[in-house]
């Protein structure tokens, strides 16, 4: 067998990872990580030491180093990658600390609390030549890939109108109950990102209204309606609530896609019905069914496992992941512009 060059050996060697923020979502990261042979979990960090200890014990991580100070652990462990599963207001500081210590970063959404912070993160990752990406796990499902395939096939013509409905009665307890703009910041980022992924369009402007209805168990606005103008004159409308009891949608939302020649209704999962115009005469033109191809994308791992896999491949090969910070900043910009519009009670431009 041919001997590996030094460069090849480095590329194929084990990637050392430190995970920061050992709360609820960290379980979705550790599980796929432990199933891989090409990585080692070299440290856990949490400002609450007990949270890290609990995670280590739940997954039998043995003598994995545990710390409450990220910078200190990075100095001693010298990992290649930092996984950031902390709460949104900590994402900027965690990623900047990781970049200062020469690490690549994969972070939970949303990428930062402000656009200025997000821009600095993208710039810093670029300057330091580090792979930097944000978890938008809902892009890693064969269902959304099938919808993207449908749009790109032009079977419905050119997409002109996109709507999404997100209605879930979510009783989290914890930080979300007290968070401002909780629906837009913590959840709508997924839906807005999916709208960009499905349409392939960039946001231009938005008019949004947030509110906290009677009966809500959140301290701040947990409902929003937003109307986006996207590039190519596409209109995207969003309706969402995190305090709607009954008749809940999927976490992926329910969608209507309208193109110049046809439409599709998609439940965010395996159910999509599509039709397009066939006839040329009549008040309502004759229509025909359009088959939607949800067959597996070869090699696609789903959810967090899929994103982590792509990210680690990009670290090895120096490539950009699908959800690289420089692209994901557009989804964050949609969220922040929607909040600004709601506060000003007028349409605003979406800048990033
Ligand atoms: N992608 C998804 O589907 C998905 C789902 C749930 C949560 N999330 C995101 O994951 C993040 C965490 O959510 P969660 O539900 O796990 O929250 P959580 O409160 O359960 O856990 C967060 C943990 O981070 C720790 N922490 C906070 N700031 C820190 C810092 N500066 N340094 C070290 N540790 C710190 C906290 O002590 C806590 O243990 C949020 O950004 C959330 O939006 C994403």
């Amino acid at each position: 067998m041919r001997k590996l060059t030094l460069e090849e050996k480095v590329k194929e060697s084990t990637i050392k990872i430190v995970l920061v923020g050992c709360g609820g979502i960290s379980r979705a990261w550790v599980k796929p990580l432990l199933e891989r042979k090409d990585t080692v979990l070299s440290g856990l960090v949490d400002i609450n030491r007990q949270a890290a200890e609990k995670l280590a014990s739940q997954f039998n991580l043995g003598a994995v180093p545990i710390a409450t100070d990220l910078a200190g652990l990075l100095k001693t462990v010298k990992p290649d990658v930092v996984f950031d599963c902390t709460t949104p207001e900590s994402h900027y500081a965690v990623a900047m600390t990781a970049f200062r210590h020469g690490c690549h970063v994969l972070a939970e959404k949303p990428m930062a609390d402000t656009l200025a912070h997000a821009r600095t993160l993208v710039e810093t990752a670029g300057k330091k030549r580090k792979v930097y990406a944000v978890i938008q796990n809902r892009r890693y499902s064969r269902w959304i890939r099938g919808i993207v395939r449908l749009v790109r096939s032009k079977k419905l013509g050119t997409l002109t109108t996109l709507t999404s409905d997100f209605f879930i009665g979510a009783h989290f307890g914890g930080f979300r109950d007290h968070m401002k703009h909780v629906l837009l910041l913590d959840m709508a980022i997924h839906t807005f990102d999916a709208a960009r992924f499905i349409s392939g369009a960039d946001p231009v402007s938005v008019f949004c209204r947030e509110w906290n209805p009677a009966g809500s168990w959140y301290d701040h606005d947990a409902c929003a309606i937003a109307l986006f103008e996207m590039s190519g004159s596409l209109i995207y409308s969003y309706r969402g609530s995190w305090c709607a009891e009954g008749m809940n949608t999927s976490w992926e939302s329910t969608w209507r896609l309208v193109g110049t020649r046809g439409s599709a209704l998609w439940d965010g999962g395996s159910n999509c019905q599509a039709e397009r115009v066939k006839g040329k005469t009549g008040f309502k033109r004759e229509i025909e069914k359009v088959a939607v191809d949800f067959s597996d994308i070869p090699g696609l791992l789903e959810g967090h496992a899929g994103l982590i896999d792509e990210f680690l491949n990009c670290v090895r090969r120096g490539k950009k992941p699908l959800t690289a910070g420089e692209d994901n900043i557009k989804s964050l910009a949609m969220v922040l512009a929607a909040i600004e519009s709601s506060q000003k009670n007028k349409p605003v431009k979406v800048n990033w």
Side-chain angles (χ1 to χ4, degrees):
M1 211 169 87
R2 182 177 72 84
K3 268 192 173 175
L4 293 178
T5 64
L6 184 61
E7 199 199 3
E8 283 169 335
K9 275 187 193 161
V10 170
K11 277 187 179 164
E12 296 312 320
S13 66
T14 304
I15 295 180
K16 283 168 78 174
I17 298 170
V18 161
L19 183 144
V20 198
C22 303
I25 199 62
S26 65
R27 273 84 188 152
W29 293 61
V30 172
K31 199 169 167 291
L33 209 51
L34 295 181
E35 285 162 7
R36 303 182 65 99
K37 293 200 174 75
D38 61 345
T39 52
V40 58
L41 189 51
S42 305
L44 296 177
V45 179
D46 200 297
I47 44 174
N48 170 6
R49 192 179 177 87
Q50 282 175 338
E53 285 169 352
K54 195 172 161 196
L55 185 67
S57 127
Q58 184 184 343
F59 286 93
N60 294 317
L61 297 179
V64 65
I66 288 179
T68 51
D69 169 41
L70 174 62
L73 192 79
L74 294 183
K75 262 185 220 147
T76 52
V77 169
K78 296 190 174 40
D80 307 291
V81 166
V82 165
F83 281 176
D84 178 8
C85 306
T86 61
T87 40
E89 69 284 359
S90 297
H91 291 170
Y92 173 74
V94 166
M96 289 301 277
T97 306
F99 292 144
R100 265 198 299 280
H101 288 82
C103 301
H104 305 279
V105 176
L106 180 60
E108 263 303 345
K109 42 54 65 171
M111 70 189 285
D113 49 351
T114 66
L115 215 45
H117 278 165
R119 286 186 192 121
T120 306
L121 288 171
V122 171
E123 264 172 42
T124 309
K127 272 188 204 145
K128 303 228 173 214
R129 296 176 171 276
K130 294 296 160 195
V131 182
Y132 171 49
V134 180
I135 285 269
Q136 296 285 182
N137 42 309
R138 284 173 172 77
R139 286 189 179 215
Y140 290 73
S141 108
R142 79 161 105 149
W143 314 122
I144 195 165
R145 298 290 171 118
I147 297 300
V148 171
R149 209 155 36 186
L150 173 68
V151 171
R152 294 199 183 150
S153 74
K154 299 274 179 194
K155 285 179 185 165
L156 307 179
T158 302
L159 195 65
T160 62
T161 313
L162 188 60
T163 73
S164 66
D165 275 353
F166 176 90
F167 290 89
I168 290 193
H171 295 261
F172 292 103
F175 74 91
R176 290 181 185 80
D177 287 9
H178 315 292
M179 188 176 164
K180 287 189 176 162
H181 316 290
V182 60
L183 176 74
L184 289 178
L185 271 179
D186 201 53
M187 188 62 221
I189 184 94
H190 280 302
T191 325
F192 294 175
D193 188 67
R196 284 205 308 115
F197 190 38
I198 291 168
S199 65
D202 285 339
V204 176
S205 65
V206 59
F207 188 26
C208 177
R209 168 87 194 268
E210 286 176 286
W211 76 102
N212 205 24
S216 167
W217 48 94
Y218 293 84
D219 287 352
H220 302 281
D221 294 344
C223 296
I225 290 184
L227 182 66
F228 287 93
E229 186 193 335
M230 309 286 284
S231 56
S233 304
L234 182 104
I235 294 294
Y236 165 53
S237 78
Y238 167 89
R239 300 190 296 186
S241 168
W242 238 347
C243 55
E245 299 286 30
M247 301 304 295
N248 283 181
T249 62
S250 68
W251 284 86
E252 282 69 26
S253 306
T254 57
W255 297 77
R256 179 180 284 267
L257 294 81
V258 186
T260 48
R261 296 191 52 75
S263 298
L265 280 176
W266 175 47
D267 71 352
S270 59
N271 191 3
C272 179
Q273 277 130 37
E275 294 174 338
R276 70 176 168 195
V277 69
K278 188 177 168 197
K280 293 201 163 103
T281 56
F283 176 70
K284 274 191 166 184
R285 304 294 202 239
E286 190 186 349
I287 49 117
E288 63 183 0
K289 297 267 177 227
V290 175
V292 184
D293 176 13
F294 280 136
S295 60
D296 247 334
I297 313 276
L300 178 75
L301 283 174
E302 303 237 333
H304 277 72
L307 228 157
I308 288 170
D309 185 59
E310 192 198 336
F311 176 83
L312 293 173
N313 282 332
C314 289
V315 165
R316 287 192 190 285
R317 292 175 178 78
K319 293 197 168 162
K320 286 216 185 300
L322 182 63
T323 62
E326 65 205 60
D327 181 72
N328 194 251
I329 195 170
K330 297 176 191 173
S331 298
L332 181 69
M334 288 174 82
V335 169
L336 297 178
I339 292 171
E340 184 193 343
S341 163
S342 177
Q343 286 171 331
K344 291 182 173 164
N345 195 23
K346 63 176 192 183
V348 300
K349 292 269 173 227
V350 184
N351 298 310
W352 58 86

